[in-house]
Amino acid sequence: MLSLRSHLCGQWVSGSGAPQILVDPATEAPVAEVCSDGLPLEQGLDFARREGGQALRALDLAGRGKLCDAAARLLHQHRDELLELGMANGGNTRSDAKFDVDGAAATFAHYASLGAALGERRLLEDGESVQLGRSPRYAGRHLWLPRRGVALHVNAFNFPAWGLAEKAATAWLAGMPVVSKPATATALVAHRMAEVLAPALPPGVLSFVCGSAHALPGLLRDQDVIAFTGSSGTAARLRALPRVADASVRLNVEADSLNAAVLGPDVLPGSETYELAVRDIVREMTQKTGQKCTAVRRIFASSALAATLGEELVARLRDVVVGDPRDERVKMGPLASAAQLAEVRAGTARLATEARRLLGDEALVPVGGVPGRGYFVAPSLFASAAAGAAVAHELEVFGPVATLFEAPDDPEAVAELVARGRGALVCALYTDDRRFAASFIGAAGPYHGRIAWGSTKVAAQAPGPGMVMPELVHGGPGRAGGGEELGGVRGLAAYSQRLAIQGDRALLDALVAPKGG
Ligand code: NAP
C-alpha cells in the first residue's frame, strides 16, 4: 500500500508508529497509510523559517507571484491525476474534484497576476502618508512587512487542493514560508500536490506534514502564523494552546457555518430569480455531498412561497443520483469518511426531533460500487418553524442536509432569524426588490463575511454562493471563526506586520518606491 510521507527540512521523511489508514469512501478499500510519530517537526519549522523565509524575502512581489504562477501551471499539468485521487480518496465526483483542483489552480493564478501587477516592490504600503510635523517634511505612513516566522496551514478534509492553495498563495506573496498540513482522512490529493510543487520551489518555501501531528501548533513562536480551517471544536483547542496565547501567535480561523439562502417576498415561482435560487440551493446542498463550508444549511422563504419551494426542492433533490463517483450516472458521491457518516446520521436524527422531514427517509440504494459498502447518504430536506427552531440554527450537519423555514416579509425580521446562526461565511440573497435588499444587508451583513445577491439581471452569470472568489474575502464572524482569507491583496495582511513609520517624507517615499524596500 502507498505510504505517505512528509516534506521537512527540504527532504521527504517518513514517520513511525501506528499507521492511519486512508480509504476510498465509496468502497471502504484502503488506498494509503501514513505514520506521523517521530517526525522532525521542530527542525522542519526552523528550516522553513530560515531557508524559506530568506528565499521569499529576497524576491520582490513579482518574483513571489512567479512562484504562484509555477504552482498554477504544475496543477494544470497534473490535473487528471489529481482529479483521480480526489475521486479515489475524497468520494468526489469528477465535477466535485474539478471544483477543488481547478479552484486551487485559479487561486494560484489570481495571486500570480496580483504579484505581477505589484511588480518590483518588496514592501506594501497601507494608505497615503500623512503630515505629522510643522512642515510636510515630517511625515508618517504605514507599511506591511512579511513576518519573520513560518505560516502553519492546518486544513479540513473537504478541500485538500484548494485549501492548500488558497492559504499558500497569500502567504507566499506576502513573503512567508508555509508548512501545510492536510486533514489525514483525505490527504492523498494534497500529498501529490506537495510532491509536485515542493521540488519546483526554493527549499523551505513549501513544507508538508502528513498525518495527525497535532503537536505542530504547540511548537510555534511569536513571528509565526496559524491559518486553520476545520471545526470550531478544534479551533477552540488551538486558541487555548499556551504557546499560542503566550507568544501571540497570529491565528486565523475558518470554522463552521450555518449559511442561509433567503428568498425575498417579491420572488415568484418560475421567475429567473426563483430559478436561480432553486438551482443554487440544490447545487450547494449536493456538491461535494454537502461537505462545503459554504453549503446552504438554512433556507428562508415567505409563507406564500415556502410550500411551492419545498415541493420543487424535493423533486429536484430526489433526482440526484447517489453512488460510486466513478459511475458516470452518479451526481453525488459518498461522504468522506465513516466518522462523517456517523456525524451526519446523528445530526439528521437531531434535526428530526424538532423538524418535519420533507425528504431523506427513504432507503438508499447507491448506484455502482460494492454492495453494502461506502459512506453514502441521500439528500435530506427538513421544514421547521423559524422562530421556534433551536437545532436547525445551532447544529451544522456537514452533509447534503438543509432546513426550510417560512420567513416573515419584513427584511429586518428575516435578518434576525438568519443571525441566530451566530455568524456565517456566506448568505445567499435572492430578490429584485432593492429596498428589501438594502434593509436585509444592513441588518444581516454584520453576521457574515460575504453576501451573494442573486437577481434577475445576474441570474445567467452568478456562480452561486459556494464559489469562493480569490478577489473577495472568505471568512465570517462568530461561529464561522472570525477569520478572513483571500480578498485579493487583503489576504496578505494575515502574514504581514503592519508597521507605522515616521520620519523624513523624502526618505520614506524612497523606502516604499519599487526597488526601495
Ligand atoms: P477538524 O476535525 O477540526 O480537522 C481540521 C484539521 O485540524 C485537520 O487537519 C485535523 O487533522 C486538524 N486537527 C484536529 N485536531 C487537531 C489538534 N488538536 N491540533 C492540531 N490539529 C488538529 O475538522 P474537519 O472534520 O476536517 O472539517 C470539517 C469542519 O471544517 C466543518 O465543521 C466545516 O464547517 C469546517 N470547514 C470550514 C471551512 C471554512 O472555510 N470556514 C472550510 C472547510 C471546512 P487530522 O485530520 O490529522 O486529525
Side-chain angles (χ1 to χ4, degrees), residues 155 158 181 184 212 214 229-231 234 254-256 293 396 474:
N155 282 312
N158 53 350
K181 192 209 102 53
T184 305
S212 280
H214 289 176
T229 297
S231 60
T234 307
E254 304 289 350
D256 315 349
C293 52
E396 182 200 45
H474 173 62

Side-chain angles (χ1 to χ4, degrees), residues 49-324:
R49 284 182 195 110
R50 198 177 57 247
E51 304 290 330
Q54 216 161 57
L56 284 163
R57 291 192 302 272
L59 296 172
D60 56 24
L61 276 124
R64 294 176 207 159
K66 282 185 187 149
L67 300 184
C68 295
D69 185 56
R73 285 170 196 277
L74 283 165
L75 294 192
H76 276 303
Q77 277 167 28
H78 292 267
R79 180 173 185 258
D80 281 336
E81 183 189 353
L82 292 167
L83 297 184
E84 291 294 325
L85 293 175
M87 292 167 78
N89 180 220
N92 295 177
T93 60
R94 195 171 164 82
S95 158
D96 288 342
K98 282 187 202 164
F99 193 64
D100 186 26
V101 173
D102 293 347
T107 306
F108 272 132
H110 173 78
Y111 280 94
S113 48
L114 197 55
L118 291 165
E120 291 181 336
R121 64 188 72 236
R122 282 192 176 73
L123 298 176
L124 277 179
E125 301 145 59
D126 177 6
E128 301 291 311
S129 67
V130 286
Q131 182 173 333
L132 297 177
R134 278 193 315 277
S135 81
R137 178 161 284 280
Y138 193 62
R141 61 191 316 158
H142 292 89
L143 305 176
W144 290 109
L145 299 172
R147 288 167 75 97
R148 291 270 167 151
V150 63
L152 171 62
H153 292 165
V154 180
N155 282 312
F157 70 84
N158 53 350
F159 282 101
W162 178 80
L164 188 156
E166 56 110 16
K167 289 182 168 61
T170 41
W172 290 344
L173 201 59
M176 275 194 93
V178 165
V179 173
S180 192
K181 192 209 102 53
T184 305
T186 58
L188 214 47
V189 171
H191 183 266
R192 184 65 190 131
M193 272 172 78
E195 281 183 336
V196 166
L197 298 182
L201 298 163
V205 165
L206 176 64
S207 306
F208 180 75
V209 174
C210 205
S212 280
H214 289 176
L216 260 175
L219 302 173
L220 296 180
R221 300 191 195 141
D222 48 307
Q223 284 281 311
D224 298 335
V225 174
I226 315 180
F228 168 78
T229 297
S231 60
S232 44
T234 307
R237 273 194 287 283
L238 295 181
R239 282 197 175 98
L241 284 175
R243 182 67 77 96
V244 170
D246 294 350
S248 305
V249 172
R250 191 174 285 174
L251 173 61
N252 191 79
V253 172
E254 304 289 350
D256 315 349
S257 188
L258 283 155
N259 312 295
V262 173
L263 286 82
D266 61 304
V267 177
L268 298 175
S271 65
E272 279 184 80
T273 309
Y274 175 82
E275 287 300 327
L276 172 66
V278 172
R279 249 188 348 259
D280 279 358
I281 293 168
V282 171
R283 184 196 325 99
E284 296 308 321
M285 282 182 67
T286 55
Q287 189 173 45
K288 287 205 141 245
T289 321
Q291 300 164 113
K292 287 198 325 187
C293 52
T294 50
V296 170
R297 308 286 178 204
R298 297 176 299 153
I299 304 155
F300 296 85
S302 64
S303 46
L305 186 67
T308 311
L309 179 65
E311 283 167 22
E312 180 109 35
L313 291 174
V314 166
R316 300 222 195 165
L317 289 166
R318 196 171 267 143
D319 281 348
V320 173
V321 180
V322 180
D324 189 318

Side-chain angles (χ1 to χ4, degrees), residues 405-419:
F405 300 106
E406 278 187 22
D409 287 351
D410 170 24
E412 301 232 353
V414 188
E416 228 169 85
L417 292 168
V418 169

